[in-house]
Amino acid sequence: HLLFFLLFVGPFNCFASYSRATELFYSLNEGLPAGVLIGSLARDLRLPTAGGQHPVAPQPPLSFTLASHGLGGQYVHLDNRSGELHTSAVEIDREALCVESSGATIFGGAAAVSSSSPSSESCLLLLDVLVLPQEYFRLVKVKIAIRDVNDNAPRFPVPHICLSVPENAPVNTRLAIEHPALDPDVGTNGVQTYRLRDNYGVFTLDVEENESGERTPYLIVMGALDRETREEYVTVIIAEDGGTPPLMGSATLTIGISDINDNCPQFSDSQLNITLYGNSSLGTHVATVHAVDMDLGSNAQITYSYSQKVPQPSRDLFHLDESTGAIKLSSKVDGDTPRLHRLIILGNGPGCIPAVITVLVTIIKVMMRPPEVVPRFIANEVEGVVYLKELEPINTPIAFFTIKDPDEKYKVNCYLDGDGPFRLSPYKPYNNEYLLETTKPLDYEAQQLYEISVVAWNSEGFHVNKIIKVQVLDDNDNSPVFSQQLIELSIEENNAPNAFLTKLHATDADSGERGQVSYFLGPDAPSYFTLDKTTGVLTVSTQLDREEKEKYRYTVKAVDSGFPPRESIATVTITVLDKNDNSPRFINKDFSFFVPENFPGFGEIGVISVTDADAGQNGWVALSVLNGSDIFVIDTGKGVLRAKVSLDREQQSSYVLWIEAVDGGDPALSSTAKITILLLDINDNPPLVLFPQSNMSYLLVLPSTLPGSPITEVYAVDKDTGMNAVIAYSIIGRRGPRPESFRIDSKTGNITLEESLMQNDYGLYRLLVKVSDHGYPEPLHSTVMVNLFVNDTVSNESYIESLLRKEPDVSIEEKQPQISIEPTHKKMETASCMPTLVALSIISLGSIALVTGMGIYICLRKGEKHHRADENLEVQIPLNGRINLHMLEKKPMEISNI
């Protein structure tokens, strides 16, 4: 920035008469949106604009540039051409930017120009603007004062303020509230006033402002306070600023009234009258005095003492407890003891005049002595308390009591007073001896302590009580008792390790260690269950699997700490709840089914077996076909796979399906299996003759054709497979001059010439060829007519075609072709010598027979020439059977001049 400044300012030193520094002041409210006009520098500096009137030629356009893009530059936008200054998209927050109250650096809002500098409380945004070109160069200092708006409510630093006021505080006492409210706004927008929601008629608030302008609230006491009447006041203090509208904040104000020693002890009565028998024993309680002080703590501490007016003999006869005010007989009453005692007792409090009460004690003389009760304990006794074990037998002796009359003048009787299983009876043959014993066993759990009295009275009606306390000692006679004998629990499988199951609870009516219960697992509990000995918390340390085991049943014991220990047993049953953690499982991942083709639609192809180890809905499995659903369907319940239509192996020999099994869990789990369906061939297709393609086609056979030469072939295919597609060829009908001249190979369908053709063998030969498969149970076949024309040339095709159109009479040969199927997987083994010799012998005999037959045949052929007339090319041959060649489903096609 310095370099930039020097580049522009340096050359202008030569034009000092045209340059000057200028200050502009603007003010702006905080929080304004983007685009608010702050001011126009060109207008406020009175610079010429592009549209102004000038006597000289137009000058270059003005340019306004921020000299520094510091903190202030992000809050304003300066138009470089017009010089207009606007607010930017960054909103101005006066409280965030002007931390100190003395205006230093920050922003603005309303587009007003001030000729005077802003006040000391202003929050200023300082900008340096360069005006160019050099004819109008200026460095303009722009100061933007940011005006505060009331956008912050007063806020107390703590939500609860406590204040203590002594109860003797005079009226107009002022107590500063140490946590005044804070408001980031300034001026009148800051905190102005405080008030109480409820002043109870004894408080008000005042506000004091120091030199720095801070306002502190003061609590003023407006009435008399008395802690003994009310020790606390709770109200709400509200701070309010001076904005329009005003904003408020509040906090809870608790005013505690501290105690002072403003009350003294007081007795409710001024005098007590007490009567005491002269035969009262030492320690007999005479009376208790009690004074009250309304103060607290040490201010309310009271001590009791005798007044100086109480004579010493009375002090010696009656003891006064200075803390409790209890008066007891401290010495024995005799004949010299005064019969009336006036006890003046003082109740002393700190800093107070003592309260006074008078106790008048009148002693009544007793002329005769009371009966005496002398116990002699049999059971264990300590300081008047007899200890008996529970379950002691009936008539257990406790003590002997001897009843005496000191004056030996009166008859003394004795009886037992009080409740309990006890009996006091005379012990004979002795007089005035009584035995105290039990009448039934004691039960500690029913009652632990009995208090009974042995009462003796004489004939004058004078009574004496001897109090006996019987403490029952506990014995381990109770076993622990479970709250439930059968504890039924459940937990979801796949639980976290050390999962909590339950907390066992057993009680033992015995006391002490005998009633302390410990918990143990029974011997039938699996090792992965844990029972805390002390707390009875039952946990499982491992993850349970319902599919592995669904129910657990074992025992638990509760054992007490007595000797010998007693125990009780409960049964725990745990049901492991199912979660959908198992996918459906197929018996096999790949299923293969062999189905004969033409199987009827919706017939059962096979059963897809699938299981799911989960239970309930999680174990329900639905099957569906993922592919091929237009042909196949599966019974989702039984898993039966069916085809909607009859299947043809010749169209498609196999199908591969994917079956999906989806269980009923949430979320559902699934698995898939591959199904292969192989169609078994049945013999449902007869052989199809591909050549010759028509019964009307023919082939020219030259007479010079040598015997053994191939003439033509019959070629057929079968759409079936296996034996159903093995084809055999045979000639079942012949027609012609010498029809036996041609032979067909049963395997290949090749037709060969068997004999040499003579002059009289010329003409049309018609061979009915049967093409048969080896299907089971019944082979299928087709027939085709093979036409051979023996001649040197074909000179008249129309004549041959007319012969072909006539229905031939062909005799049907019943002999079926025999075909040997040579296996391809076996090799011929080496023959022995004997089979070879037999074969050579057969061949030799066959050769001789063949030569002989050929000679006879030639002779017969020469004899026929003399009887033969001129015949047509077609020879009439009687047929044993007839066949309609026009019914054959073959594509007609005429073949000539082959």
Side-chain angles (χ1 to χ4, degrees):
H1 294 303
L2 179 60
L3 178 61
F4 180 84
F5 181 76
L6 292 175
L7 289 174
F8 282 88
V9 175
F12 296 147
N13 291 334
C14 301
F15 302 96
S17 59
Y18 298 102
S19 63
R20 63 172 182 254
T22 309
E23 285 190 357
L24 292 178
F25 298 97
Y26 300 100
S27 61
L28 182 72
N29 286 343
E30 64 173 324
L32 291 178
V36 175
L37 179 65
I38 300 173
S40 175
L41 274 64
R43 181 188 65 211
D44 297 334
L45 293 173
R46 295 188 176 89
L47 296 175
T49 60
Q53 298 294 327
H54 301 283
V56 295
Q59 298 295 325
L62 295 175
S63 174
F64 300 87
T65 307
L66 287 173
S68 174
H69 294 277
L71 177 65
Q74 64 178 317
Y75 301 106
V76 298
H77 172 72
L78 177 63
D79 190 301
N80 294 338
R81 294 299 181 187
S82 65
E84 289 185 348
L85 197 62
H86 295 84
T87 57
S88 70
V90 181
E91 185 178 293
I92 300 173
D93 184 359
R94 186 184 188 280
E95 289 73 35
L97 297 174
C98 291
V99 180
E100 301 296 334
S101 60
S102 59
T105 307
I106 306 300
F107 5 113
V113 180
S114 173
S115 59
S116 61
S117 62
S119 65
S120 62
E121 293 184 356
S122 297
C123 177
L124 296 180
L125 178 65
L126 303 181
L127 303 172
D128 290 339
V129 180
L130 295 176
V131 182
L132 296 175
Q134 67 183 43
E135 292 92 330
Y136 302 100
F137 172 75
R138 282 177 175 79
L139 175 62
V140 182
K141 297 284 188 178
V142 179
K143 295 182 179 181
I144 304 174
I146 309 304
R147 292 195 298 263
D148 182 49
V149 297
N150 192 26
D151 57 347
N152 292 280
R155 182 178 179 183
F156 287 90
V158 294
H160 193 177
I161 302 173
C162 296
L163 197 63
S164 180
V165 181
E167 62 177 326
N168 63 344
V171 177
N172 293 326
T173 297
R174 300 170 65 86
L175 299 170
I177 298 176
E178 297 181 356
H179 301 286
L182 304 176
D183 193 329
D185 297 324
V186 298
T188 58
N189 292 332
V191 178
Q192 299 297 316
T193 60
Y194 291 87
R195 58 187 173 87
L196 296 176
R197 181 171 294 175
D198 188 356
N199 58 18
Y200 297 100
V202 293
F203 299 106
T204 188
L205 289 178
D206 190 19
V207 180
E208 290 186 3
E209 186 175 355
N210 58 17
E211 295 179 355
S212 62
E214 296 179 352
R215 296 173 179 265
T216 303
Y218 282 81
L219 180 71
I220 302 177
V221 179
M222 300 299 294
L225 303 176
D226 184 5
R227 189 206 63 80
E228 289 73 31
T229 302
R230 184 163 187 171
E231 62 181 2
E232 186 180 74
Y233 296 87
V234 179
T235 184
V236 175
I237 181 172
I238 300 173
E240 187 175 312
D241 61 22
T244 304
L247 301 178
M248 294 178 289
S250 63
T252 301
L253 177 63
T254 300
I255 305 169
I257 309 302
S258 59
D259 183 54
I260 64 170
N261 192 23
D262 58 345
N263 290 280
C264 290
Q266 291 183 354
F267 289 105
S268 58
D269 298 314
S270 60
Q271 182 173 311
L272 293 178
N273 296 317
I274 305 297
T275 299
L276 182 67
Y277 289 101
N279 61 349
S280 298
S281 59
L282 295 179
T284 300
H285 180 267
V286 178
T288 298
V289 295
H290 181 67
V292 177
D293 192 324
M294 299 299 293
D295 293 325
L296 293 176
S298 61
N299 293 334
Q301 187 174 1
I302 301 174
T303 59
Y304 301 94
S305 63
Y306 285 125
S307 171
Q308 297 295 328
K309 297 179 182 181
V310 178
Q312 190 62 40
S314 296
R315 294 184 182 211
D316 296 337
L317 184 61
F318 301 102
H319 175 265
L320 174 63
D321 189 304
E322 66 176 6
S323 299
T324 63
I327 304 171
K328 294 183 179 180
L329 184 63
S330 59
S331 62
K332 190 173 182 181
V333 177
D334 56 22
D336 297 332
T337 302
R339 298 295 174 253
L340 181 64
H341 296 268
R342 186 182 183 88
L343 305 177
I344 300 174
I345 299 174
L346 305 178
N348 305 295
C352 291
I353 299 173
V356 180
I357 187 173
T358 301
V359 179
L360 293 178
V361 181
T362 302
I363 299 177
I364 301 175
K365 282 189 176 183
V366 178
M367 300 307 295
M368 57 183 173
R369 288 183 293 175
E372 294 181 1
V373 178
V374 181
R376 288 172 294 168
F377 292 99
I378 302 171
N380 185 26
E381 178 267 340
V382 178
E383 296 182 355
V385 179
V386 177
Y387 295 92
L388 289 178
K389 288 185 178 181
E390 63 174 333
L391 303 180
E392 288 282 0
I394 301 174
N395 302 325
T396 297
I398 299 174
F400 279 113
F401 289 90
T402 301
I403 308 301
K404 296 180 180 181
D405 181 15
D407 298 328
E408 297 181 354
K409 297 190 294 184
Y410 303 100
K411 181 181 179 180
V412 180
N413 294 317
C414 183
Y415 67 93
L416 186 64
D417 185 24
D419 297 328
F422 305 103
R423 176 176 60 218
L424 183 65
S425 58
Y427 190 73
K428 296 182 180 182
Y430 304 102
N431 294 326
N432 297 330
E433 293 288 342
Y434 293 86
L435 176 63
L436 179 63
E437 59 185 356
T438 60
T439 59
K440 63 179 182 179
L442 302 177
D443 187 0
Y444 174 87
E445 288 72 36
Q447 188 169 344
Q448 293 86 36
L449 181 65
Y450 296 90
E451 186 171 315
I452 55 178
S453 297
V454 176
V455 181
W457 83 100
N458 58 20
S459 56
E460 296 298 321
F462 199 89
H463 291 74
V464 174
N465 294 341
K466 182 63 176 179
I467 299 176
I468 306 297
K469 293 183 179 180
V470 179
Q471 176 68 54
V472 182
L473 299 178
D474 188 29
D475 199 0
N476 192 28
D477 60 336
N478 290 279
S479 299
V481 178
F482 280 100
S483 56
Q484 293 176 285
Q485 286 299 312
L486 179 60
I487 303 164
E488 296 179 326
L489 307 173
S490 63
I491 184 174
E492 279 194 343
E493 63 176 331
N494 304 331
N495 56 281
N498 300 317
F500 172 83
L501 293 175
T502 188
K503 183 176 182 180
L504 302 181
H505 181 66
T507 58
D508 193 316
D510 295 323
S511 63
E513 291 184 354
R514 292 171 292 275
Q516 294 180 358
V517 180
S518 299
Y519 302 91
F520 301 93
L521 290 171
D524 54 344
S527 60
Y528 38 83
F529 288 96
T530 305
L531 180 59
D532 189 278
K533 176 182 177 181
T534 305
T535 63
V537 173
L538 181 63
T539 57
V540 55
S541 60
T542 188
Q543 195 175 72
L544 299 180
D545 186 358
R546 188 204 65 83
E547 289 72 37
E548 181 179 337
K549 189 171 183 180
E550 184 175 5
K551 287 188 178 294
Y552 296 85
R553 185 183 181 93
Y554 53 87
T555 57
V556 290
K557 294 191 298 183
V559 183
D560 64 21
S561 302
F563 183 81
R566 300 175 70 98
E567 66 180 37
S568 61
I569 296 177
T571 301
V572 175
T573 62
I574 300 174
T575 302
V576 182
L577 303 178
D578 184 55
K579 291 181 70 174
N580 193 28
D581 58 342
N582 289 279
S583 300
R585 186 174 182 180
F586 290 92
I587 299 299
N588 299 310
K589 294 304 291 183
D590 294 322
F591 290 84
S592 295
F593 296 106
F594 295 88
V595 182
E597 63 174 328
N598 302 329
F599 194 68
F602 291 97
E604 181 177 322
I605 295 175
V607 177
I608 311 299
S609 298
V610 63
T611 60
D612 194 313
D614 294 321
Q617 186 172 348
N618 294 332
W620 295 347
V621 179
L623 297 174
S624 61
V625 181
L626 295 181
N627 63 325
S629 58
D630 54 338
I631 300 177
F632 296 94
V633 65
I634 191 167
D635 188 329
T636 186
K638 298 180 180 179
V640 177
L641 181 64
R642 306 175 190 273
K644 300 179 182 179
V645 296
S646 179
L647 304 178
D648 187 357
R649 191 205 63 80
E650 286 70 40
Q651 292 183 1
Q652 186 169 342
S653 62
S654 65
Y655 296 86
V656 176
L657 304 179
W658 290 96
I659 303 297
E660 182 182 39
V662 181
D663 63 23
D666 184 18
L669 301 178
S670 64
S671 61
T672 58
K674 180 182 178 182
I675 311 297
T676 301
I677 301 173
L678 300 173
L679 297 182
L680 301 178
D681 184 52
I682 64 173
N683 194 24
D684 60 342
N685 290 280
L688 176 63
V689 178
L690 300 180
F691 184 83
Q693 295 183 352
S694 171
N695 291 325
M696 302 298 291
S697 61
Y698 64 95
L699 177 68
L700 176 65
V701 179
L702 298 176
S704 61
T705 303
L706 297 176
S709 300
I711 304 301
T712 184
E713 69 172 342
V714 177
Y715 179 69
V717 295
D718 197 314
K719 294 182 180 178
D720 297 321
T721 60
M723 295 300 296
N724 295 332
V726 175
I727 298 175
Y729 301 90
S730 64
I731 299 175
I732 62 173
R734 302 169 184 267
R735 183 80 167 91
R738 190 154 56 100
E740 64 275 5
S741 300
F742 298 94
R743 187 182 70 85
I744 189 167
D745 189 291
S746 61
K747 295 181 181 179
T748 64
N750 292 333
I751 298 176
T752 58
L753 179 65
E754 285 288 295
E755 302 172 348
S756 298
L757 297 174
M758 305 297 179
Q759 182 67 33
N760 56 354
D761 292 336
Y762 287 31
L764 180 65
Y765 290 79
R766 309 197 75 175
L767 305 178
L768 180 60
V769 178
K770 179 180 179 181
V771 183
S772 176
D773 61 25
H774 280 61
Y776 179 83
E778 181 180 353
L780 301 178
H781 69 272
S782 299
T783 58
V784 65
M785 186 67 73
V786 177
N787 301 303
L788 303 176
F789 183 60
V790 178
N791 201 4
D792 293 325
T793 60
V794 179
S795 58
N796 192 350
E797 291 185 7
S798 60
Y799 172 69
I800 297 175
E801 291 175 358
S802 66
L803 294 178
L804 293 176
R805 281 194 291 271
K806 293 181 180 180
E807 181 176 347
D809 292 332
V810 180
S811 60
I812 303 298
E813 299 176 1
E814 298 299 333
K815 185 179 179 180
Q816 297 296 327
Q818 300 296 325
I819 299 179
S820 61
I821 307 300
E822 295 182 355
T824 59
H825 63 283
K826 293 184 180 181
K827 294 183 178 180
M828 297 296 294
E829 298 181 354
T830 304
S832 63
C833 295
M834 183 60 68
T836 305
L837 294 174
V838 173
L840 293 174
S841 301
I842 294 173
I843 293 173
S844 299
L845 294 174
S847 300
I848 296 172
L850 178 61
V851 172
T852 304
M854 288 294 293
I856 296 172
Y857 174 76
I858 293 171
C859 293
L860 291 175
R861 292 288 294 176
K862 289 181 178 181
E864 289 178 358
K865 291 182 179 180
H866 301 284
H867 304 285
R868 206 171 193 178
D870 293 335
E871 295 177 347
N872 293 331
L873 290 177
E874 182 175 3
V875 180
Q876 301 294 330
I877 299 177
L879 297 178
N880 296 328
R882 301 178 65 84
I883 182 167
N884 188 357
L885 299 179
H886 297 286
M887 297 300 293
L888 297 176
E889 295 181 0
K890 301 293 184 289
K891 181 179 179 181
M893 180 176 181
E894 294 185 358
I895 301 177
S896 61
N897 299 326
I898 299 178

